Amino acid sequence: MAKEMTLVSVGIDVGTTTTQLVISQLTLVNVMPGSQVPKVEITHKSISYMGKVHFTPFEDRRHVDGTALRKIVAKEYEKAGVKPEQIDTGAIIITGETAKKENASEIIHSLADYAGDFVVATAGPDLESMIAGKGSGAEALSKRLHACIANIDIGGGTTNIAYFDRGKCIGTACINVGGRLFEVDPISHRLTYVSSPAQKIMNYCNPNNNQISNGNDLVLIKNCLNSMVECVERVIFQEPLLPQDNYLVMTNLLPDVKIDGVVFSGGVAKYIYLPGIKEWWIHGDVGPLLAEAFQESRINKSLPVHEGAETIHATVLGAGAHTVNVSGSTITVSEHTLPIRNVPAVYPELDMTGKFSWLKDAENYTDSLYRTVALIVPTLPNTDFQTILSLAETLACELPLIKGEPKVIIAQQDIAKVLGQTLQRLLPASPLVCLDGIELAFGDFLDIAKPLPYQDAVPVIVKTLIFAR
Amino acid sequence: MSLEDSVRLIVEELLKGMEKEKIQSSNNKLPLANSSIIDECEITDLAEIDLQRYLQVPNPVNKELYEEMKLSTPARIGVWRSGPRPLTDTLLRFRADHAVAQDSVLGEVPEEFPAKYNMVSIQTLCKSKDEYLTRPDLGRKLDEENLEILRKGCLKGAMVQIIVSDGLSSKAVEANIPNLLPALTQGLEGMGVKLGIPIFVRNGRVAVMDTIGEELKPEVAVILIGERPGLGTAESMSAYMGYNPRLGMVESERTVISNIHKGGTPAAEAGAHLASLIKKILDARASGVNLE
């Protein structure tokens, strides 16, 4: 019998310029026929509520206004008709320039606690780039076209690039190029604020610091923006960076591959797809001018440009609907052990006798910050009972030496249930969470939710990425 | 010249031409035949080739996509052709796989296999594979002699009775039982379930479970039986479970897990999954559609 399960997922994106919230419904179904071992997949994602685009509230240039931010979320929840208790999962992502504010981390964690039982707080330019590419539809497009597609998400503070090769994210970059690095007065069109990365580029473009006279602002801004877009070009076309680019490139982990097309997303993308706006000052920033510069760029002219499913909402949609994975259905979970958050993935090394040992890597996480660690079982040469038994024996020796409960083990092959049952026999007193079916990489952190109704599978959120290291 | 004569003339001309060609081509063939004898020692076993990684199309336009498509399915796609026909190695491999499937149906589980896993070995009314294939009804029944073996060797009223049967694939039993049985036993015992002595049934059908159930009265019987082999795998096994197995129970009362093999659910993991499924059946006191 096909029993459908739904998860209510929230995505909140606190960006440089705007804060947005969406609520989506994820439908989970056992996709296997009744006579086979179940496999739960997310079969459908639908947006049930799309919030207004709010300006991100700031106390001053260095502090996010936490109280005002919480009010925005509370108001949007009310409008959507949901209570924080009803939210099953989701993510809050603090992005762009906002992530650099002094109280960013504190604000976002308290907001995550308020927003729902299992909403994760995340930040980090690489994750943001990937989430934006998923939300914009670039990931799906690359899968459909069997091609390598670059998603370029141009926001207020940063441009986040992610490459998707046939549905798989293969690299990201984050560049300090955004529409709100310069702010202007909508009436006089004069500069009112220049952010620190923008100031550095301005110093480069205008080294003599010429007196800015009326009307010269526009020319100067345009020069700066062109210089910024050229930097993005150099990153994408794998050209040597110039000295001034170092002020802008925050992270660059893009592989040297041929890309078959680009998708633009983020607030600025709208003006790339719909050019020709006369009142460039309407938002009090230089977004439309930046779009113009991208329009003239080699990126737009020499690569096929695809239109994604979303532009300004890409990141928030990605955060809400694309952060959750589902584990395999044959797993072992002791009662009352879940949910758990922020579990670091611990990788083993091979010892002299060819056995795995996790002890050394586990020592990196003895901090009281981590309740427990997740031991990763690499791919085994076979899944015979004997192989699993000897693996379980090794684990049973090491698990009592590794601090924290429940004991979490993540296997790369479909063996979580038999491995878990073997461990329960060897270590009957230890609460255990043994999962499979989750793709992980070195340096990942996991949040594991409560098991789904009807099925043993658990939703899992994987944070940070392999190429972030 | 009559029409008949002119036809005869044409035919004669043609025949002469063909004769000439024959002589020429057989002259050409000679060195070829020799070289193939030399090559014979280096012929690789076609059955060893991993079909999903075997790219037969010469100079594919998009090799990566072709590889991806091949890997996405065990079906024989992208096998290229010779004129309108399949290539020789495609055809030979097809026949080789078909032969494996046939061997699996007609083969026997080795005599010593049941004892190795401490199973009580019995046989249905079918005395041969031919009879087994043609008389499904006999594959569900046991004679007095075999029932007596059960009475003597097995426990009555166990919580769970495990039955293993060759069914339509002896290879499935040999490939999966060594990994499935210990995982299943460990899982059930870990949940405090008391097991009967496992039984091996030669030439058995699923419903032989009913006959055994009638005799031993376990709470739940599970039969691990070889599935009808296909060209993809000959090692696939199914597990059928019934609460209160007895004569006259209907098929909808059975719970089934199929596709237990290397490419499906691996045997050890399947054993662990079956253990928790059987526990669910014990707790609900129902199986099949009654369990849903």
Side-chain angles (χ1 to χ4, degrees), chain A residues 18 48 73 121 172 187 264 268 281 385:
Chain A
T18 60
S48 53
V73 174
T172 59
I187 313 284
F264 290 106
V268 173
W281 53 83
F385 187 72

Side-chain angles (χ1 to χ4, degrees), chain A residues 80-379:
Chain A
V82 296
K83 295 193 175 71
E85 306 87 86
Q86 294 169 303
I87 304 284
D88 296 305
T89 178
I92 298 184
I93 182 161
I94 189 158
T95 58
E97 284 282 286
T98 312
K100 293 186 203 160
K101 305 295 177 200
E102 282 170 15
N103 62 344
S105 163
E106 170 200 331
I107 295 273
I108 193 176
H109 280 98
S110 89
L111 192 61
D113 284 340
Y114 167 75
D117 194 25
F118 195 63
V119 175
V120 290
T122 81
D126 300 306
L127 188 61
E128 183 194 354
S129 304
M130 188 181 73
I131 283 179
K134 288 181 170 189
S136 76
E139 181 198 38
L141 189 73
S142 76
K143 210 175 193 171
R144 192 159 56 83
L145 300 180
H146 292 272
C148 183
I149 302 286
N151 190 73
I152 304 175
D153 189 90
I154 311 154
T158 55
T159 290
N160 289 78
I161 306 167
Y163 283 5
F164 292 91
D165 186 20
R166 286 168 289 168
K168 210 173 169 250
C169 186
I170 55 166
T172 59
C174 179
I175 304 164
N176 246 322
V177 171
R180 216 172 173 78
L181 294 178
F182 299 93
E183 286 173 32
V184 293
D185 181 46
I187 313 284
S188 69
H189 314 163
R190 304 259 348 221
L191 276 171
T192 54
Y193 168 69
V194 179
S195 71
S196 117
Q199 186 63 56
K200 283 176 183 145
I201 292 302
M202 198 176 259
N203 294 345
Y204 162 79
C205 291
N206 184 19
N208 307 327
N209 207 4
N210 286 343
Q211 198 65 36
I212 299 168
S213 60
N214 201 3
N216 257 358
D217 278 14
L218 185 58
V219 179
L220 181 60
I221 292 169
K222 279 188 170 177
N223 282 341
C224 288
L225 293 177
N226 282 334
S227 161
M228 286 174 158
V229 171
E230 279 162 18
C231 169
V232 177
E233 282 177 346
R234 283 189 281 274
V235 168
I236 286 194
F237 293 106
Q238 300 279 340
E239 287 160 1
L241 296 184
L242 303 181
Q244 70 271 24
D245 296 341
N246 293 326
Y247 301 126
L248 300 180
V249 179
M250 293 166 70
T251 63
N252 180 9
L253 300 149
L254 293 176
D256 190 358
V257 294
K258 186 189 151 287
I259 49 177
D260 304 302
V262 290
V263 170
F264 290 106
S265 67
V268 173
K270 180 176 149 193
Y271 296 106
I272 300 180
Y273 290 120
L274 291 169
I277 181 168
K278 295 272 183 323
E279 302 86 5
W280 59 270
W281 53 83
I282 53 164
H283 300 296
D285 60 25
V286 297
L289 291 181
L290 182 61
E292 219 169 81
F294 268 104
Q295 267 238 312
E296 295 300 317
S297 73
R298 279 187 285 151
I299 303 165
N300 192 42
K301 295 205 158 144
S302 72
L303 291 167
V305 176
H306 301 273
E307 205 157 331
E310 273 300 335
T311 54
I312 192 163
H313 301 299
T315 307
V316 70
L317 276 177
H322 295 275
T323 48
V324 183
N325 299 294
V326 186
S327 75
S329 294
T330 52
I331 56 174
T332 312
V333 178
S334 305
E335 271 179 26
H336 312 301
T337 47
L338 297 176
I340 43 175
R341 295 185 192 204
N342 262 333
V343 186
V346 168
Y347 279 77
E349 45 189 36
L350 277 174
D351 70 7
M352 309 296 244
T353 58
K355 279 185 177 163
F356 292 124
S357 174
W358 287 266
L359 294 176
K360 204 168 160 203
D361 193 17
E363 272 170 23
N364 298 332
Y365 305 100
T366 46
D367 204 307
S368 64
L369 199 63
Y370 308 108
R371 215 176 105 198
T372 186
V373 295
L375 305 190
I376 308 303
V377 176
T379 306

Side-chain angles (χ1 to χ4, degrees), chain A residues 406-427:
Chain A
K407 306 294 181 194
V408 182
I409 292 141
I410 315 272
Q412 305 291 295
Q413 287 147 304
D414 187 8
I415 56 168
K417 191 136 200 164
V418 62
L419 181 62
Q421 285 181 357
T422 314
L423 281 170
Q424 278 176 333
R425 178 168 62 78
L426 298 173
L427 298 171

